[in-house]
Amino acid sequence: MAYHVEITPGTMHGTVRVPPSKSLLHRALFCAAFADGISTIGPRHDCEDILDTINALRALGASIEILDDSYRVTGIQSPKSSAHIRIEASATTLRFLIPVLAATQTRTTITLGPTLTTRPLTSYLTFFASHLTQEGNTLNVDASLPETDITLRDLESSQVVSGFLLARAITNSRAAIHIDNVPSSGYVDLTARVLEEAGVSVARKGNTLHVDKGSLSPFNLTAEGDASHASLWLAAGVLGHRITVENFPMDSRQIDAVFLKILSDVGAILDMKNGAVTAFSSVIAPFDLDIDGTPDLAFALAIIALKARGPCSLRGIKRLKIKESDRITAIADTLRKCGVTVVVDSDALTIHPTSSLKGEVRFASLADHRVAMMATVLASRAMGPVVIQSADAIMKSYPDFYKHCRALGLTIHERKDASI
């Protein structure tokens, strides 16, 4: 149910466990759904995106039991010939699913939630042509996966490559996938890592990938804490809070884990020990970073830019326009409402530091979970109360976000209307 929150500024202090990595759970659930046997995937994460994946895989015939803190997945014995699936908000689920449906030759009607109708599927619409059609919020899939090598060009997301890689593993095909200029290629490496956990070896040479050996087998996977959510709490630390993230491994292979190195490079004060990370209030060096490969870090980087000794620039931001919202505009507008000077050009966002943030303002989440969370961190350091409209957007990836904020000492009032 939609709700709005009013944040009373204050200092947060304490320890937080971020949710498990959504990226790992999506991939593990897809692999487990097509393994011949029973797999255990965890920890449990009841966010909307993971529920989208669970519901889609169940519709294809997978048995997924939701246990106290994990999922027990029994692989599909015989793929269904047809299915009707609703995907509310998860672009990852959708982009993984389309080539998987082609691999199983399951004729499927997919009903898309409101935010998904604007997410581009250009690569698939081009590749599958008349076998994939979209009209409004309805997507019809009646496709087969080619048995020969394929070439993918002009990709809107690395999820397209991961989807085809999962499909090749399902069919146990060794045919190659040739790609050019993969955005956020680290996520493709993450897909290969999870496939290896499930018994499938992936070979990569330059821009060519193929399943090298093995077939999907039952496995157990415990996902580490989500690096993109951890980055937000650590950015809050730089801004003046004192928050320890206790389940963010130093050796994480999530691409957003590079945020730790970025913090170190710009001179942030960090304490890393016993598997936990704390970031302290810091004045940092100005930075100019290309974030094309790590677009989800834009929010944490925008926050720490406020504590820099000079203007900071984020480049390679074009793909931020095609996320849950136009995140370039969302980040700029949110910061400007706080009184921050922001300059946007063709492919860069430049943020000028400030020693104070305006209060008595309203932020719109734009139904974007990351916008809502960034606005909350900014509101916590504002000069007066701040209202965040449609704050329930956090349910997409981090349902316990406001619960964690309160546990850390932040005062939050929740309303079902915008009267606050």
Side-chain angles (χ1 to χ4, degrees), residues 134-173:
Q134 182 173 3
E135 185 174 347
N137 70 334
T138 300
L139 194 68
N140 291 300
V141 185
D142 185 10
S144 298
L145 188 70
E147 296 179 1
T148 56
D149 293 359
I150 62 174
T151 300
L152 303 174
R153 297 187 176 91
D154 301 323
L155 301 174
E156 63 269 13
S157 172
S158 65
Q159 293 165 354
V160 175
V161 182
S162 290
F164 275 106
L165 198 53
L166 290 167
R168 289 296 197 210
I170 290 168
T171 60
N172 204 21
S173 169

Side-chain angles (χ1 to χ4, degrees), residues 81-333:
S81 60
S82 63
H84 193 146
I85 296 170
R86 179 174 178 84
I87 302 177
E88 190 61 42
S90 174
T92 303
T93 305
L94 179 60
R95 292 189 179 126
F96 285 2
L97 184 64
I98 291 171
V100 165
L101 294 174
T104 60
Q105 298 185 42
T106 304
R107 297 188 306 278
T108 305
T109 298
I110 304 174
T111 303
L112 306 175
T115 61
L116 274 186
T117 58
T118 59
R119 304 295 293 273
L121 295 172
T122 309
S123 299
Y124 290 137
L125 291 168
T126 299
F127 186 88
F128 290 115
S130 62
H131 297 286
L132 177 67
T133 58
Q134 182 173 3
E135 185 174 347
N137 70 334
T138 300
L139 194 68
N140 291 300
V141 185
D142 185 10
S144 298
L145 188 70
E147 296 179 1
T148 56
D149 293 359
I150 62 174
T151 300
L152 303 174
R153 297 187 176 91
D154 301 323
L155 301 174
E156 63 269 13
S157 172
S158 65
Q159 293 165 354
V160 175
V161 182
S162 290
F164 275 106
L165 198 53
L166 290 167
R168 289 296 197 210
I170 290 168
T171 60
N172 204 21
S173 169
R174 303 306 192 242
I177 303 170
H178 304 290
I179 51 181
D180 64 9
N181 191 29
V182 182
S184 303
S185 63
Y187 283 110
V188 178
D189 296 334
L190 194 65
T191 302
R193 171 191 167 188
V194 176
L195 283 168
E196 289 173 3
E197 293 278 345
V200 173
S201 176
V202 175
R204 179 170 185 173
K205 184 176 182 180
N207 284 346
T208 297
L209 300 95
H210 64 87
V211 172
D212 187 42
K213 59 183 177 180
S215 56
L216 290 171
S217 303
F219 65 106
N220 299 326
L221 182 139
T222 300
E224 61 198 41
D226 190 289
S228 60
H229 291 322
S231 72
L232 197 70
W233 291 119
L234 296 175
V238 172
L239 203 60
H241 300 286
R242 186 168 179 176
I243 301 168
T244 298
V245 180
E246 65 177 6
N247 61 331
F248 184 30
M250 306 300 112
D251 59 350
S252 172
R253 290 176 63 181
Q254 297 175 67
I255 62 173
D256 287 342
V258 72
F259 189 66
L260 277 180
K261 182 179 185 304
I262 293 172
L263 286 177
S264 179
D265 288 347
V266 299
I269 303 170
L270 300 172
D271 181 30
M272 294 183 284
K273 61 184 179 184
N274 301 323
V277 185
T278 307
F280 299 91
S281 180
S282 309
V283 177
I284 63 171
F287 55 81
D288 188 326
L289 295 173
D290 187 326
I291 62 167
D292 182 62
T294 54
D296 288 343
L297 290 183
F299 299 90
L301 291 168
I303 290 170
I304 68 170
L306 303 177
K307 294 295 295 289
R309 290 188 291 271
C312 298
S313 293
L314 304 179
R315 305 189 183 279
I317 61 173
K318 288 181 179 178
R319 288 191 303 114
L320 287 176
K321 293 183 72 68
I322 59 172
K323 298 290 186 177
E324 284 83 343
S325 67
D326 174 352
R327 287 178 169 172
I328 299 173
T329 301
I331 291 172
D333 287 351

Side-chain angles (χ1 to χ4, degrees), residues 308-367:
R309 290 188 291 271
C312 298
S313 293
L314 304 179
R315 305 189 183 279
I317 61 173
K318 288 181 179 178
R319 288 191 303 114
L320 287 176
K321 293 183 72 68
I322 59 172
K323 298 290 186 177
E324 284 83 343
S325 67
D326 174 352
R327 287 178 169 172
I328 299 173
T329 301
I331 291 172
D333 287 351
T334 301
L335 290 170
R336 286 169 179 156
K337 281 191 175 183
C338 294
V340 179
T341 299
V342 183
V343 178
V344 180
D345 61 29
S346 59
D347 194 30
L349 188 71
T350 300
I351 300 161
H352 292 252
T354 183
S355 58
S356 63
L357 299 172
K358 289 182 181 178
E360 308 294 341
V361 297
R362 289 176 180 266
F363 294 131
S365 77
L366 305 175

Side-chain angles (χ1 to χ4, degrees), residues 25-44:
L25 289 180
H26 279 302
R27 288 159 172 80
L29 287 166
F30 265 90
C31 289
F34 291 93
D36 185 15
I38 299 175
S39 303
T40 301
I41 310 299
R44 175 177 164 180

